Amino acid sequence: MSKISAAITGIQGHVPDFVLTNDELSKIVDTNDEWITSRTGIKERRIQKEGASSDMCAEAVKGLLEKTGVDAMDIDLVIVATVTPDYPFPSTSNIVCDKIGMKNAWGYDLIAACSGFIYGLATGAQFIETGRYKKVIVIGVDKMSSIINYKDRTTCVIFGDGCGAALLEPNNEGLGVQDFILKADGSGRKHLLLPAGGSLHPASKDTVEEDKHFVHQEGKQVFKFAVTNMADVSAEIMDKNNLTADDVDWLVPHQANLRIIDATANRMGLPKEKVMVNIQKYGNTTAGTLPLCLWDYEKQLKKGDNLVLSAFGGGFTWGAVYLKWAYNS
Ligand code: UT7
């Protein structure tokens, strides 16, 4: 009997309608389109004016079930990668299952910041590969606008809101997730974190007054680690799987900064045409970036294409997934 692999058999994104352009931002904080574009590659981002992360998930999952023809009652497991859950508890996964009527599913939220989708993909794939489950949904979502200080020009220009959802199903042709390398270094937490609202510093008058419920990022430090580690792990997964640059059809990189994406592609020896980039229109949606890239590029993907997904983010967390695309759309 051939080994079961876990293949992505459908992908769907959802971004809020409201567009916040660089020019609009420059009316709120001391910044400008030239600085943002040249330092990051971002031109605009989406902002969710009403509702929560689970609402973006619900839209993406609705579309995913529709396009794949799968019944909500057939979903076994829903993993939601996010740093902006609706509540500390219950999990956003619980809420999405309720909103969509996935009554036979269970699920959980996974915190790995920008690496959330690849952590979720690797984790979800295990349930398929063992034969235990037939339909797993992995979601990457973040409503970053809920934890961003729009008075802080070093963070508010970068982040945006968005969501993507992937359906994982068993595959007997050897397609789907081939390998993954996941890494973490908790000592990096001082450089990128949400300081308050957890058990260490519960919400109080002081934490609110000191802006501790907004993302704290030391951009330069994070950049240094991101550029090295994302490039290294992408090269490492190629080496480990004997992939040359010619063998890789697509790099699907976390969309944090165009300069980090370019450094990763260069290290892998890939030309620009093989690199998915949509940072210009969505900014950094944290766990949302990778599934949003797959959604945007879905029509260009062919069955059997070799994809390397890679990410770096808060934690620090980082890693790469080697995936064979499983369908033509
Ligand atoms: O996704 C999770 C992981 N996160 C990342 O990977 C982000 C990694 N970091 C970065 O992408 C970059 O560090 C940033 C885009 C955040 C910042 O770019 P940078 O080239 O590292 O800029 P910088 O922080 O060194 O700042 C350079 C200058 C400073 O002015 P001075 O001190 O040189 O006078 C900043 O005050 O740019 C200034 N600056 C701005 N100017 C206009 C910082 N933010 C802005 C802004 N507009 N929005």
Side-chain angles (χ1 to χ4, degrees):
M1 206 179 79
S2 61
K3 188 176 167 292
I4 302 169
S5 50
I8 293 183
T9 54
I11 185 86
Q12 182 72 23
H14 174 79
V15 289
D17 292 335
F18 185 84
V19 177
L20 181 59
T21 63
N22 291 349
D23 286 338
E24 281 302 315
L25 264 177
S26 65
K27 294 178 193 161
I28 307 171
V29 285
D30 181 15
T31 190
N32 56 74
D33 178 53
E34 200 282 319
W35 191 95
I36 303 172
T37 306
S38 61
R39 299 280 174 139
T40 69
I42 300 166
K43 298 298 283 183
E44 57 188 43
R45 69 287 296 140
R46 301 299 180 100
I47 303 293
Q48 189 186 25
K49 290 285 193 182
E50 276 170 21
S53 291
S54 69
D55 295 308
M56 288 192 277
C57 297
E59 288 302 320
V61 171
K62 235 185 278 169
L64 182 67
L65 296 180
E66 245 169 60
K67 82 196 273 192
T68 54
V70 169
D71 191 307
M73 296 296 275
D74 290 337
I75 301 299
D76 300 303
L77 169 67
V78 178
I79 300 172
V80 178
T82 187
V83 292
T84 52
D86 289 21
Y87 307 103
F89 79 90
S91 73
T92 307
S93 170
N94 277 181
I95 300 167
V96 179
C97 288
D98 177 49
K99 286 185 173 169
I100 297 296
M102 296 185 282
K103 293 196 181 303
N104 293 318
W106 68 284
Y108 53 90
D109 291 0
L110 189 160
I111 306 175
C114 304
S115 310
F117 188 73
I118 53 172
Y119 272 46
L121 201 53
T123 315
Q126 306 308 305
F127 290 92
I128 300 280
E129 288 170 13
T130 56
R132 182 168 286 269
Y133 290 146
K134 298 278 183 280
K135 290 182 182 6
V136 173
I137 292 180
V138 179
I139 303 174
V141 63
D142 272 300
K143 180 182 176 176
M144 293 306 290
S145 62
S146 66
I147 53 170
I148 289 298
N149 182 355
Y150 285 88
K151 291 182 185 145
D152 174 7
R153 68 175 183 174
T154 68
T155 51
C156 75
V157 302
I158 302 166
F159 293 100
D161 302 338
C163 174
L167 178 65
L168 288 182
E169 293 183 281
N171 184 282
N172 294 313
E173 298 174 274
L175 302 171
V177 175
Q178 306 292 303
D179 195 14
F180 57 83
I181 302 173
L182 300 176
K183 308 210 182 200
D185 177 0
S187 70
R189 66 190 181 279
K190 57 184 174 290
H191 302 301
L192 178 52
L193 80 164
L194 190 63
S199 56
L200 182 61
H201 299 299
S204 69
K205 189 166 166 285
D206 287 349
T207 60
V208 172
E209 282 175 4
E210 290 164 13
D211 287 341
K212 293 274 168 56
H213 296 276
F214 294 127
V215 169
H216 167 82
Q217 175 172 264
E218 292 158 16
K220 253 199 185 346
Q221 282 297 328
V222 178
F223 185 90
K224 211 172 64 189
F225 284 102
V227 96
T228 309
N229 287 316
M230 211 167 112
D232 281 355
V233 78
S234 306
E236 189 182 336
I237 205 158
M238 286 174 71
D239 279 355
K240 194 173 160 215
N241 290 280
N242 299 316
L243 295 172
T244 65
D246 284 344
D247 298 326
V248 176
D249 297 290
W250 293 99
L251 167 64
V252 193
H254 172 50
Q255 310 282 305
N257 188 316
L258 202 51
R259 291 180 285 151
I260 300 172
I261 295 172
D262 288 346
T264 304
N266 284 341
R267 180 72 189 280
M268 296 168 78
L270 296 185
K272 280 196 166 19
E273 308 81 73
K274 289 186 171 185
V275 183
M276 295 189 187
V277 174
N278 60 11
I279 191 170
Q280 70 284 359
K281 47 182 189 170
Y282 304 139
N284 182 350
T285 56
T286 303
T289 62
L290 295 182
L292 281 173
C293 276
L294 292 173
W295 179 52
D296 269 353
Y297 282 79
E298 184 188 21
K299 291 210 160 40
Q300 295 180 55
L301 295 173
K302 293 188 291 298
K303 187 172 174 179
D305 275 358
N306 287 323
L307 276 58
V308 172
L309 284 65
S310 75
F312 181 91
F316 293 137
T317 58
W318 68 103
V321 172
Y322 164 34
L323 181 83
K324 277 186 184 291
W325 196 248
Y327 62 93
N328 297 312
S329 26

